[in-house]
Amino acid sequence: MRFFLILVLSFASSAAFSQERLEFKTPLAEISIKELDQVSLDTRDQIFASTASGDVFLFDKSGKQLNLFSPPRQARIQQLEASWTVNIFTFSADLQEYRVMDRFLNPIAENSLLLDNIILPKAATLGNNNVIWVWDESDLSLKSVDYIRKLILQSQPLNLILDSEDLRVTEIREFKNRLFMNVPGSGIFIFDNQGNFFTESSYPNRAKDVLL
Protein backbone atom coordinates (compact mmCIF):
# COMPACT_ATOMS: atom_id res chain seq x y z
CA MET A 1 0.00 0.00 0.00
CA ARG A 2 1.20 3.50 -0.78
CA PHE A 3 0.57 6.74 1.01
CA PHE A 4 1.51 10.24 -0.08
CA LEU A 5 3.45 12.33 2.41
CA ILE A 6 2.03 15.83 2.72
CA LEU A 7 3.28 17.66 5.80
CA VAL A 8 1.78 20.86 7.14
CA LEU A 9 4.68 22.22 9.14
CA SER A 10 2.95 25.21 10.68
CA PHE A 11 -0.65 25.51 11.83
CA ALA A 12 -2.77 28.64 11.98
CA SER A 13 -4.90 29.45 15.00
CA SER A 14 -8.03 27.37 15.43
CA ALA A 15 -10.22 30.28 14.30
CA ALA A 16 -8.22 30.90 11.15
CA PHE A 17 -7.88 27.17 10.55
CA SER A 18 -11.67 26.76 10.53
CA GLN A 19 -12.13 29.63 8.06
CA GLU A 20 -9.35 28.95 5.59
CA ARG A 21 -9.32 26.13 3.11
CA LEU A 22 -6.21 23.98 2.97
CA GLU A 23 -4.90 23.43 -0.53
CA PHE A 24 -2.51 20.51 -0.90
CA LYS A 25 -0.05 20.68 -3.74
CA THR A 26 2.57 18.21 -4.91
CA PRO A 27 3.36 15.55 -2.24
CA LEU A 28 6.79 15.77 -0.64
CA ALA A 29 7.31 12.04 -1.07
CA GLU A 30 5.61 8.78 -1.93
CA ILE A 31 6.14 5.88 0.46
CA SER A 32 5.20 2.31 -0.36
CA ILE A 33 4.61 -0.14 2.53
CA LYS A 34 3.00 -3.54 2.28
CA GLU A 35 0.06 -3.99 4.67
CA LEU A 36 0.27 -0.42 5.98
CA ASP A 37 -1.81 -0.03 9.14
CA GLN A 38 -0.98 2.86 11.55
CA VAL A 39 0.82 6.16 10.88
CA SER A 40 2.03 8.71 13.45
CA LEU A 41 4.23 11.84 13.31
CA ASP A 42 6.69 12.97 15.95
CA THR A 43 7.62 16.53 16.94
CA ARG A 44 10.51 16.52 14.44
CA ASP A 45 8.27 15.76 11.44
CA GLN A 46 9.52 12.19 11.28
CA ILE A 47 7.02 9.54 10.19
CA PHE A 48 6.41 6.28 12.03
CA ALA A 49 4.31 3.65 10.29
CA SER A 50 3.30 0.15 11.33
CA THR A 51 2.17 -2.84 9.32
CA ALA A 52 -0.54 -5.41 9.97
CA SER A 53 2.12 -7.75 11.39
CA GLY A 54 3.52 -5.17 13.83
CA ASP A 55 6.65 -3.97 12.05
CA VAL A 56 7.40 -0.29 12.70
CA PHE A 57 9.14 1.86 10.06
CA LEU A 58 10.84 5.21 10.65
CA PHE A 59 11.07 7.76 7.81
CA ASP A 60 12.40 11.30 7.72
CA LYS A 61 10.20 14.11 6.41
CA SER A 62 11.48 13.58 2.87
CA GLY A 63 10.28 9.96 2.90
CA LYS A 64 13.71 8.34 3.34
CA GLN A 65 13.62 5.20 5.49
CA LEU A 66 15.84 5.61 8.55
CA ASN A 67 15.09 2.47 10.53
CA LEU A 68 12.87 -0.57 10.94
CA PHE A 69 11.84 -2.43 14.07
CA SER A 70 10.49 -5.96 13.69
CA PRO A 71 9.13 -7.44 16.93
CA PRO A 72 10.01 -11.02 17.88
CA ARG A 73 6.30 -11.86 18.03
CA GLN A 74 4.29 -10.64 15.07
CA ALA A 75 0.82 -9.15 15.60
CA ARG A 76 -1.15 -6.05 14.72
CA ILE A 77 -0.51 -2.85 16.70
CA GLN A 78 -3.68 -1.11 17.80
CA GLN A 79 -1.88 1.98 19.12
CA LEU A 80 1.16 3.75 17.66
CA GLU A 81 2.14 7.03 19.36
CA ALA A 82 5.08 9.14 18.23
CA SER A 83 3.94 12.58 19.40
CA TRP A 84 5.77 12.35 22.72
CA THR A 85 9.00 14.35 22.92
CA VAL A 86 11.24 11.38 23.71
CA ASN A 87 9.47 8.03 23.44
CA ILE A 88 7.52 5.96 20.93
CA PHE A 89 4.68 3.84 22.31
CA THR A 90 2.97 0.81 20.79
CA PHE A 91 0.23 -1.45 22.10
CA SER A 92 -1.02 -4.74 20.68
CA ALA A 93 -4.39 -5.97 21.94
CA ASP A 94 -3.82 -9.28 20.17
CA LEU A 95 -0.65 -9.96 22.19
CA GLN A 96 -1.80 -7.81 25.15
CA GLU A 97 1.65 -6.26 25.19
CA TYR A 98 3.07 -2.74 25.17
CA ARG A 99 6.43 -1.45 24.03
CA VAL A 100 8.20 1.87 24.74
CA MET A 101 11.00 2.75 22.30
CA ASP A 102 13.40 5.62 21.82
CA ARG A 103 13.48 7.81 18.70
CA PHE A 104 15.68 5.27 16.92
CA LEU A 105 13.21 2.41 17.58
CA ASN A 106 15.37 0.82 20.26
CA PRO A 107 13.14 -0.84 22.91
CA ILE A 108 13.33 0.78 26.35
CA ALA A 109 10.55 -1.11 28.09
CA GLU A 110 8.32 -3.93 26.87
CA ASN A 111 6.09 -6.34 28.71
CA SER A 112 2.71 -7.98 28.93
CA LEU A 113 -0.17 -5.99 30.41
CA LEU A 114 -1.62 -9.12 31.97
CA LEU A 115 -0.73 -8.09 35.51
CA ASP A 116 -2.69 -8.73 38.69
CA ASN A 117 -6.20 -7.29 38.21
CA ILE A 118 -5.75 -6.67 34.47
CA ILE A 119 -7.53 -9.45 32.60
CA LEU A 120 -8.56 -8.14 29.17
CA PRO A 121 -6.70 -4.97 28.07
CA LYS A 122 -8.37 -3.66 24.93
CA ALA A 123 -6.85 -0.17 24.66
CA ALA A 124 -3.76 1.52 26.10
CA THR A 125 -1.87 4.79 25.85
CA LEU A 126 1.32 6.28 27.26
CA GLY A 127 0.99 8.92 29.99
CA ASN A 128 3.36 11.12 31.93
CA ASN A 129 5.61 9.92 34.77
CA ASN A 130 6.13 6.34 33.57
CA VAL A 131 2.38 5.66 33.43
CA ILE A 132 0.42 3.59 30.94
CA TRP A 133 -3.36 4.01 30.88
CA VAL A 134 -5.23 0.77 30.21
CA TRP A 135 -8.86 0.07 29.39
CA ASP A 136 -9.65 -3.32 30.93
CA GLU A 137 -12.78 -4.70 29.32
CA SER A 138 -13.08 -7.55 31.81
CA ASP A 139 -14.37 -5.24 34.56
CA LEU A 140 -15.02 -2.07 32.50
CA SER A 141 -12.30 -0.18 34.34
CA LEU A 142 -9.77 2.49 33.43
CA LYS A 143 -6.46 1.65 35.07
CA SER A 144 -3.09 3.35 35.36
CA VAL A 145 0.06 1.25 35.48
CA ASP A 146 3.58 2.23 36.49
CA TYR A 147 5.43 0.34 33.75
CA ILE A 148 8.80 0.68 35.49
CA ARG A 149 7.65 -0.96 38.73
CA LYS A 150 4.88 -2.98 37.03
CA LEU A 151 2.31 -1.82 39.55
CA ILE A 152 -1.32 -0.83 39.13
CA LEU A 153 -1.62 2.65 40.61
CA GLN A 154 -5.36 3.06 40.41
CA SER A 155 -8.54 1.63 38.92
CA GLN A 156 -11.72 3.48 37.97
CA PRO A 157 -14.85 1.31 37.41
CA LEU A 158 -16.39 3.37 34.62
CA ASN A 159 -19.64 1.43 34.47
CA LEU A 160 -20.38 2.96 37.87
CA ILE A 161 -19.30 6.48 36.87
CA LEU A 162 -20.41 7.06 33.29
CA ASP A 163 -24.02 7.34 32.20
CA SER A 164 -23.60 5.09 29.16
CA GLU A 165 -25.05 1.72 28.25
CA ASP A 166 -22.37 1.10 25.62
CA LEU A 167 -18.74 1.08 26.79
CA ARG A 168 -17.07 -0.44 23.74
CA VAL A 169 -13.89 1.60 23.93
CA THR A 170 -11.81 1.68 20.74
CA GLU A 171 -9.03 4.08 21.75
CA ILE A 172 -7.66 6.15 24.62
CA ARG A 173 -5.08 8.93 24.36
CA GLU A 174 -3.46 11.35 26.81
CA PHE A 175 -3.05 14.88 25.46
CA LYS A 176 -2.19 18.09 27.36
CA ASN A 177 -2.94 16.63 30.80
CA ARG A 178 -6.27 15.25 29.64
CA LEU A 179 -7.18 11.65 28.90
CA PHE A 180 -9.56 11.12 25.96
CA MET A 181 -11.57 7.93 25.60
CA ASN A 182 -13.22 7.15 22.27
CA VAL A 183 -16.53 5.29 22.68
CA PRO A 184 -18.12 5.24 19.20
CA GLY A 185 -21.57 4.42 20.56
CA SER A 186 -21.57 7.43 22.90
CA GLY A 187 -18.84 9.95 22.00
CA ILE A 188 -15.63 11.11 23.67
CA PHE A 189 -15.24 10.85 27.44
CA ILE A 190 -12.61 13.20 28.91
CA PHE A 191 -10.71 12.64 32.16
CA ASP A 192 -8.05 14.62 34.01
CA ASN A 193 -4.52 13.29 34.34
CA GLN A 194 -5.49 11.47 37.53
CA GLY A 195 -8.22 9.48 35.82
CA ASN A 196 -11.10 11.50 37.27
CA PHE A 197 -14.08 11.97 34.95
CA PHE A 198 -14.11 15.50 33.56
CA THR A 199 -16.74 15.82 30.83
CA GLU A 200 -18.32 14.15 27.81
CA SER A 201 -18.29 15.41 24.22
CA SER A 202 -20.42 14.20 21.36
CA TYR A 203 -19.34 13.91 17.74
CA PRO A 204 -18.36 15.93 15.87
CA ASN A 205 -15.97 18.18 17.78
CA ARG A 206 -12.30 19.03 18.12
CA ALA A 207 -11.75 16.36 20.79
CA LYS A 208 -12.22 13.71 18.11
CA ASP A 209 -9.28 15.19 16.15
CA VAL A 210 -6.95 14.40 19.06
CA LEU A 211 -7.61 10.70 18.55
CA LEU A 212 -6.96 10.67 14.81
Side-chain angles (χ1 to χ4, degrees):
M1 180 181 295
R2 296 179 180 179
F3 69 94
F4 294 100
L5 172 58
I6 305 175
L7 295 180
V8 180
L9 300 180
S10 62
F11 294 90
S13 66
S14 59
F17 197 83
S18 62
Q19 296 173 3
E20 296 180 2
R21 179 181 177 183
L22 285 176
E23 294 185 2
F24 296 111
K25 298 182 179 180
T26 305
L28 298 179
E30 179 181 348
I31 300 172
S32 180
I33 299 178
K34 293 182 179 180
E35 298 184 317
L36 174 66
D37 190 19
Q38 306 281 340
V39 177
S40 183
L41 299 179
D42 71 2
T43 55
R44 303 176 184 176
D45 300 324
Q46 296 186 124
I47 305 100
F48 295 79
S50 68
T51 66
S53 59
D55 292 334
V56 180
F57 291 84
L58 167 60
F59 301 91
D60 66 14
K61 61 184 179 181
S62 67
K64 177 183 177 182
Q65 182 177 329
L66 301 179
N67 212 339
L68 166 65
F69 173 78
S70 186
R73 293 208 298 165
Q74 299 280 304
R76 180 175 181 264
I77 292 172
Q78 275 71 26
Q79 191 94 336
L80 172 63
E81 298 178 16
S83 58
W84 292 89
T85 304
V86 178
N87 296 325
I88 310 300
F89 175 79
T90 66
F91 166 69
S92 171
D94 295 337
L95 296 177
Q96 298 179 325
E97 291 180 349
Y98 70 87
R99 182 171 284 110
V100 181
M101 297 181 282
D102 65 18
R103 289 293 167 185
F104 305 100
L105 297 182
N106 298 309
I108 299 173
E110 51 190 339
N111 214 321
S112 170
L113 279 171
L114 295 179
L115 305 173
D116 291 340
N117 297 321
I118 296 182
I119 308 300
L120 192 59
K122 284 292 188 177
T125 186
L126 186 63
N128 287 303
N129 301 319
N130 302 323
V131 165
I132 294 176
W133 294 99
V134 180
W135 167 248
D136 189 348
E137 198 173 79
S138 68
D139 56 6
L140 302 179
S141 293
L142 176 65
K143 301 174 180 180
S144 61
V145 179
D146 184 326
Y147 69 82
I148 299 296
R149 296 182 294 165
K150 299 181 177 61
L151 294 175
I152 297 177
L153 302 178
Q154 61 175 311
S155 178
Q156 295 273 21
L158 298 190
N159 60 322
L160 303 178
I161 299 173
L162 303 180
D163 184 18
S164 176
E165 297 180 356
D166 185 359
L167 282 177
R168 289 178 295 175
V169 177
T170 59
E171 186 178 4
I172 52 178
R173 183 71 62 89
E174 182 173 317
F175 180 74
K176 292 186 177 180
N177 293 321
R178 290 287 186 267
L179 186 68
F180 296 84
M181 174 178 286
N182 189 0
V183 185
S186 301
I188 301 281
F189 294 108
I190 305 174
F191 304 81
D192 65 18
N193 59 1
Q194 301 299 315
N196 300 307
F197 180 61
F198 185 67
T199 187
E200 176 183 355
S201 299
S202 300
Y203 300 142
N205 65 23
R206 292 188 63 202
K208 183 180 178 184
D209 296 335
V210 175
L211 300 170
L212 296 179

